[in-house]
Amino acid sequence: MSVQRRSARLTVPEIRARKGQEPIVCLTSYHAHTAALIDPHVDLLLVGDSLGMVMYGMENTLGVSLDMMIAHGAAVVRGSDSALVVVDMPFGTYEESRAHAFHNAARTMKETGCQAIKLEGGERMADTVHHLTQRGIPVMGHIGLTPQNVNVMGGFKTQGRNKDEWPQIERDAQALAEAGAFAIVLEGIAAPLADKISSAINVPTIGIGASAGCDGQILVTEDMLGLSPQVPKFVKEFATLGAQIAKAAEAYANDVRARKFPEQKHTYALKEDKE
Ligand code: KIV
Protein backbone atom coordinates (compact mmCIF):
# COMPACT_ATOMS: atom_id res chain seq x y z
CA MET A 1 0.00 0.00 0.00
CA SER A 2 1.30 3.45 -0.80
CA VAL A 3 0.36 6.49 1.26
CA GLN A 4 0.05 9.86 -0.45
CA ARG A 5 -0.47 12.33 2.35
CA ARG A 6 -1.39 11.92 5.97
CA SER A 7 -4.57 13.74 6.85
CA ALA A 8 -4.50 15.83 10.02
CA ARG A 9 -8.23 15.48 10.46
CA LEU A 10 -9.86 13.80 13.41
CA THR A 11 -10.93 10.32 12.42
CA VAL A 12 -14.12 8.35 12.91
CA PRO A 13 -12.49 5.98 15.46
CA GLU A 14 -11.17 9.01 17.39
CA ILE A 15 -14.68 10.49 17.64
CA ARG A 16 -16.08 7.07 18.55
CA ALA A 17 -13.46 6.74 21.33
CA ARG A 18 -14.66 10.00 22.93
CA LYS A 19 -17.66 8.19 24.44
CA GLY A 20 -17.84 9.36 28.06
CA GLN A 21 -14.69 11.47 27.61
CA GLU A 22 -14.12 15.12 26.66
CA PRO A 23 -17.32 16.57 25.10
CA ILE A 24 -17.42 16.44 21.29
CA VAL A 25 -17.85 19.91 19.77
CA CYS A 26 -19.88 19.94 16.55
CA LEU A 27 -21.30 22.67 14.32
CA THR A 28 -23.00 22.67 10.96
CA SER A 29 -21.22 24.19 7.99
CA TYR A 30 -22.26 24.73 4.41
CA HIS A 31 -19.54 26.79 2.81
CA ALA A 32 -15.78 27.01 2.55
CA HIS A 33 -15.00 30.31 4.24
CA THR A 34 -17.11 29.80 7.36
CA ALA A 35 -15.79 26.22 7.54
CA ALA A 36 -12.25 27.67 7.66
CA LEU A 37 -13.23 30.04 10.48
CA ILE A 38 -14.84 27.45 12.72
CA ASP A 39 -12.70 24.40 11.84
CA PRO A 40 -9.96 25.09 14.44
CA HIS A 41 -12.55 25.18 17.23
CA VAL A 42 -14.63 22.08 16.54
CA ASP A 43 -14.18 18.32 16.34
CA LEU A 44 -16.83 17.67 13.73
CA LEU A 45 -18.36 19.73 10.92
CA LEU A 46 -21.77 18.56 9.74
CA VAL A 47 -22.91 19.59 6.29
CA GLY A 48 -26.52 19.31 7.38
CA ASP A 49 -29.52 19.22 5.07
CA SER A 50 -30.73 22.13 7.22
CA LEU A 51 -28.95 24.06 4.46
CA GLY A 52 -32.28 23.84 2.61
CA MET A 53 -33.75 26.27 5.12
CA VAL A 54 -30.61 28.18 6.11
CA MET A 55 -29.05 28.73 2.67
CA TYR A 56 -31.98 28.34 0.28
CA GLY A 57 -34.95 29.68 2.27
CA MET A 58 -36.91 26.42 1.96
CA GLU A 59 -39.69 25.69 4.43
CA ASN A 60 -38.20 22.33 5.45
CA THR A 61 -35.46 19.91 4.37
CA LEU A 62 -37.55 17.78 2.00
CA GLY A 63 -36.58 19.64 -1.18
CA VAL A 64 -32.83 19.28 -0.67
CA SER A 65 -31.12 17.25 -3.41
CA LEU A 66 -28.03 15.06 -3.36
CA ASP A 67 -26.34 17.43 -5.81
CA MET A 68 -26.85 20.32 -3.38
CA MET A 69 -25.35 18.29 -0.52
CA ILE A 70 -22.39 17.27 -2.66
CA ALA A 71 -21.64 20.84 -3.81
CA HIS A 72 -21.75 22.19 -0.23
CA GLY A 73 -19.96 19.13 1.19
CA ALA A 74 -17.03 19.58 -1.22
CA ALA A 75 -16.82 23.29 -0.29
CA VAL A 76 -16.65 22.48 3.44
CA VAL A 77 -13.96 19.85 2.87
CA ARG A 78 -11.94 22.39 0.85
CA GLY A 79 -12.31 25.02 3.58
CA SER A 80 -11.33 22.85 6.55
CA ASP A 81 -8.41 20.66 7.50
CA SER A 82 -8.76 19.37 11.04
CA ALA A 83 -12.39 18.56 11.86
CA LEU A 84 -14.09 15.36 10.75
CA VAL A 85 -16.55 16.27 7.97
CA VAL A 86 -19.90 14.48 7.87
CA VAL A 87 -22.41 15.06 5.06
CA ASP A 88 -26.16 14.51 5.48
CA MET A 89 -27.98 12.20 3.09
CA PRO A 90 -31.08 14.13 1.99
CA PHE A 91 -34.66 12.83 1.98
CA GLY A 92 -35.30 10.15 -0.67
CA THR A 93 -31.67 9.18 -1.25
CA TYR A 94 -31.26 6.26 1.18
CA GLU A 95 -34.62 4.92 2.40
CA GLU A 96 -35.68 2.85 -0.64
CA SER A 97 -33.12 0.06 -0.37
CA ARG A 98 -29.68 -0.70 1.02
CA ALA A 99 -28.23 -0.73 -2.51
CA HIS A 100 -29.70 2.68 -3.29
CA ALA A 101 -28.29 4.00 0.00
CA PHE A 102 -24.84 2.57 -0.76
CA HIS A 103 -24.82 4.02 -4.28
CA ASN A 104 -25.68 7.54 -3.06
CA ALA A 105 -23.51 7.46 0.07
CA ALA A 106 -20.48 6.24 -1.90
CA ARG A 107 -21.03 8.98 -4.49
CA THR A 108 -21.22 11.54 -1.68
CA MET A 109 -17.94 10.36 -0.17
CA LYS A 110 -16.13 10.21 -3.52
CA GLU A 111 -17.31 13.60 -4.75
CA THR A 112 -16.95 15.57 -1.50
CA GLY A 113 -13.98 13.91 0.22
CA CYS A 114 -16.00 13.78 3.47
CA GLN A 115 -15.20 11.11 6.08
CA ALA A 116 -18.74 9.97 6.93
CA ILE A 117 -22.41 10.43 6.14
CA LYS A 118 -25.42 10.97 8.39
CA LEU A 119 -28.91 9.61 7.88
CA GLU A 120 -32.14 9.89 9.83
CA GLY A 121 -34.13 7.06 11.40
CA GLY A 122 -33.59 4.45 14.10
CA GLU A 123 -34.58 0.78 14.19
CA ARG A 124 -36.08 0.91 10.68
CA MET A 125 -32.72 2.09 9.22
CA ALA A 126 -30.48 -0.29 11.20
CA ASP A 127 -30.09 -2.80 8.32
CA THR A 128 -28.99 -0.02 6.01
CA VAL A 129 -26.54 1.36 8.59
CA HIS A 130 -25.03 -2.12 8.97
CA HIS A 131 -24.81 -2.53 5.17
CA LEU A 132 -23.01 0.80 4.76
CA THR A 133 -20.59 0.44 7.67
CA GLN A 134 -19.62 -3.05 6.44
CA ARG A 135 -18.73 -1.50 3.09
CA GLY A 136 -16.46 1.36 4.14
CA ILE A 137 -19.02 4.07 4.80
CA PRO A 138 -19.03 5.38 8.37
CA VAL A 139 -22.51 6.40 9.46
CA MET A 140 -23.72 8.89 12.04
CA GLY A 141 -27.29 8.21 13.14
CA HIS A 142 -30.02 10.76 13.91
CA ILE A 143 -33.08 9.99 16.02
CA GLY A 144 -35.79 11.75 18.00
CA LEU A 145 -37.01 14.80 16.12
CA THR A 146 -36.06 13.82 12.58
CA PRO A 147 -36.85 16.80 10.32
CA GLN A 148 -37.22 14.68 7.15
CA ASN A 149 -40.19 13.07 8.92
CA VAL A 150 -41.93 16.41 9.51
CA ASN A 151 -45.11 15.46 7.68
CA VAL A 152 -45.50 12.20 9.60
CA MET A 153 -44.79 13.92 12.93
CA GLY A 154 -47.12 16.83 12.06
CA GLY A 155 -44.49 19.46 12.90
CA PHE A 156 -41.24 19.88 14.78
CA LYS A 157 -42.03 18.55 18.25
CA THR A 158 -39.90 17.45 21.18
CA GLN A 159 -39.93 13.66 21.37
CA GLY A 160 -40.18 11.63 24.55
CA ARG A 161 -42.11 14.11 26.68
CA ASN A 162 -44.59 11.32 27.18
CA LYS A 163 -43.00 8.26 28.80
CA ASP A 164 -45.00 5.96 26.49
CA GLU A 165 -42.72 7.12 23.65
CA TRP A 166 -39.51 6.14 25.44
CA PRO A 167 -39.23 2.42 24.59
CA GLN A 168 -39.28 3.02 20.80
CA ILE A 169 -36.71 5.83 20.99
CA GLU A 170 -34.48 3.70 23.22
CA ARG A 171 -34.78 0.82 20.74
CA ASP A 172 -33.89 3.22 17.92
CA ALA A 173 -30.67 4.25 19.67
CA GLN A 174 -29.69 0.70 20.59
CA ALA A 175 -30.38 -0.62 17.08
CA LEU A 176 -28.18 2.05 15.46
CA ALA A 177 -25.35 1.47 17.94
CA GLU A 178 -25.49 -2.28 17.29
CA ALA A 179 -25.62 -1.70 13.52
CA GLY A 180 -22.29 0.15 13.68
CA ALA A 181 -23.16 3.86 13.77
CA PHE A 182 -20.10 5.67 15.18
CA ALA A 183 -22.18 8.42 16.85
CA ILE A 184 -25.87 9.30 17.11
CA VAL A 185 -27.50 12.73 17.01
CA LEU A 186 -30.29 13.01 19.59
CA GLU A 187 -32.46 15.86 18.36
CA GLY A 188 -35.36 17.36 20.33
CA ILE A 189 -35.44 14.55 22.87
CA ALA A 190 -36.64 15.20 26.43
CA ALA A 191 -33.57 15.54 28.67
CA PRO A 192 -34.21 12.59 31.03
CA LEU A 193 -34.63 10.25 28.05
CA ALA A 194 -31.54 11.65 26.29
CA ASP A 195 -29.56 11.05 29.51
CA LYS A 196 -30.90 7.50 29.78
CA ILE A 197 -29.94 6.75 26.18
CA SER A 198 -26.49 8.30 26.62
CA SER A 199 -25.80 5.99 29.56
CA ALA A 200 -27.22 2.93 27.84
CA ILE A 201 -25.41 2.92 24.50
CA ASN A 202 -21.71 2.51 23.83
CA VAL A 203 -21.34 5.16 21.10
CA PRO A 204 -21.26 8.94 21.58
CA THR A 205 -24.56 10.81 21.61
CA ILE A 206 -24.56 14.29 20.11
CA GLY A 207 -27.36 16.44 21.49
CA ILE A 208 -29.33 19.26 19.92
CA GLY A 209 -32.22 20.49 22.01
CA ALA A 210 -31.77 17.33 24.11
CA SER A 211 -29.54 17.29 27.20
CA ALA A 212 -26.25 18.76 28.42
CA GLY A 213 -25.44 15.19 29.49
CA CYS A 214 -24.92 14.01 25.90
CA ASP A 215 -21.36 13.12 24.83
CA GLY A 216 -21.29 16.14 22.52
CA GLN A 217 -23.43 18.98 21.25
CA ILE A 218 -24.29 20.37 17.82
CA LEU A 219 -25.97 23.59 16.74
CA VAL A 220 -26.80 25.07 13.37
CA THR A 221 -23.98 27.61 13.04
CA GLU A 222 -26.19 30.38 11.62
CA ASP A 223 -28.56 29.95 14.59
CA MET A 224 -25.83 30.46 17.17
CA LEU A 225 -24.39 33.38 15.18
CA GLY A 226 -27.70 35.25 15.26
CA LEU A 227 -28.08 35.00 11.49
CA SER A 228 -31.26 32.92 11.24
CA PRO A 229 -34.62 34.70 11.08
CA GLN A 230 -36.10 32.27 13.63
CA VAL A 231 -34.33 30.01 16.09
CA PRO A 232 -35.59 27.34 18.48
CA LYS A 233 -35.83 28.45 22.13
CA PHE A 234 -32.98 26.22 23.32
CA VAL A 235 -30.40 27.94 21.07
CA LYS A 236 -27.94 30.27 22.77
CA GLU A 237 -26.86 33.04 20.39
CA PHE A 238 -23.12 33.66 20.70
CA ALA A 239 -23.14 36.58 18.23
CA THR A 240 -25.59 38.94 16.55
CA LEU A 241 -24.31 38.82 12.98
CA GLY A 242 -27.77 39.31 11.44
CA ALA A 243 -28.07 42.76 13.02
CA GLN A 244 -24.44 43.56 12.09
CA ILE A 245 -25.01 42.64 8.44
CA ALA A 246 -28.11 44.81 8.21
CA LYS A 247 -26.18 47.71 9.78
CA ALA A 248 -23.23 47.24 7.42
CA ALA A 249 -25.54 47.14 4.38
CA GLU A 250 -27.18 50.37 5.54
CA ALA A 251 -23.79 52.07 6.04
CA TYR A 252 -22.66 50.92 2.59
CA ALA A 253 -25.86 52.18 0.97
CA ASN A 254 -25.39 55.55 2.66
CA ASP A 255 -21.79 55.77 1.36
CA VAL A 256 -22.84 54.90 -2.20
CA ARG A 257 -25.66 57.44 -2.17
CA ALA A 258 -23.32 60.10 -0.80
CA ARG A 259 -20.71 59.17 -3.46
CA LYS A 260 -18.38 58.57 -0.52
CA PHE A 261 -16.25 55.86 -2.00
CA PRO A 262 -12.56 55.08 -1.56
CA GLU A 263 -10.37 56.06 -4.49
CA GLN A 264 -9.97 53.03 -6.74
CA LYS A 265 -6.22 53.26 -7.23
CA HIS A 266 -5.20 49.84 -5.89
CA THR A 267 -8.26 48.17 -7.32
CA TYR A 268 -7.42 44.47 -7.02
CA ALA A 269 -4.43 44.48 -4.71
CA LEU A 270 -5.38 42.39 -1.68
CA LYS A 271 -5.51 43.69 1.85
CA GLU A 272 -3.22 41.92 4.26
CA ASP A 273 -4.31 38.45 5.29
CA LYS A 274 -6.92 38.54 8.01
CA GLU A 275 -6.34 36.04 10.73
O1 KIV B 1 -29.37 19.15 9.12
C1 KIV B 1 -28.81 19.46 10.18
O2 KIV B 1 -28.24 20.55 10.33
C2 KIV B 1 -28.85 18.50 11.27
C3 KIV B 1 -28.40 18.97 12.63
C4 KIV B 1 -29.32 19.97 13.17
C5 KIV B 1 -28.18 17.83 13.55
O3 KIV B 1 -29.23 17.41 11.07
Side-chain angles (χ1 to χ4, degrees), residues 28 30 46-51 61 88 118 120 142 147 185 187 208 218-220:
T28 62
Y30 318 118
L46 171 69
V47 187
D49 62 353
S50 51
L51 67 79
T61 57
D88 249 348
K118 175 166 84 58
E120 294 183 8
H142 183 161
V185 171
E187 179 164 3
I208 172 163
I218 186 161
L219 282 179
V220 169

Side-chain angles (χ1 to χ4, degrees), residues 32-88:
H33 296 164
T34 43
L37 292 170
I38 62 182
D39 179 53
H41 307 288
V42 301
D43 301 308
L44 186 151
L45 288 168
L46 171 69
V47 187
D49 62 353
S50 51
L51 67 79
M53 285 115 98
V54 178
M55 303 289 290
Y56 292 88
M58 294 174 170
E59 197 180 321
N60 55 46
T61 57
L62 301 186
V64 174
S65 70
L66 192 60
D67 286 342
M68 284 158 75
M69 295 309 303
I70 288 174
H72 288 275
V76 169
V77 170
R78 281 195 292 273
S80 60
D81 55 24
S82 61
L84 182 89
V85 178
V86 180
V87 176
D88 249 348

Side-chain angles (χ1 to χ4, degrees), residues 266-271:
H266 302 300
T267 324
Y268 284 111
L270 296 180
K271 292 190 177 171

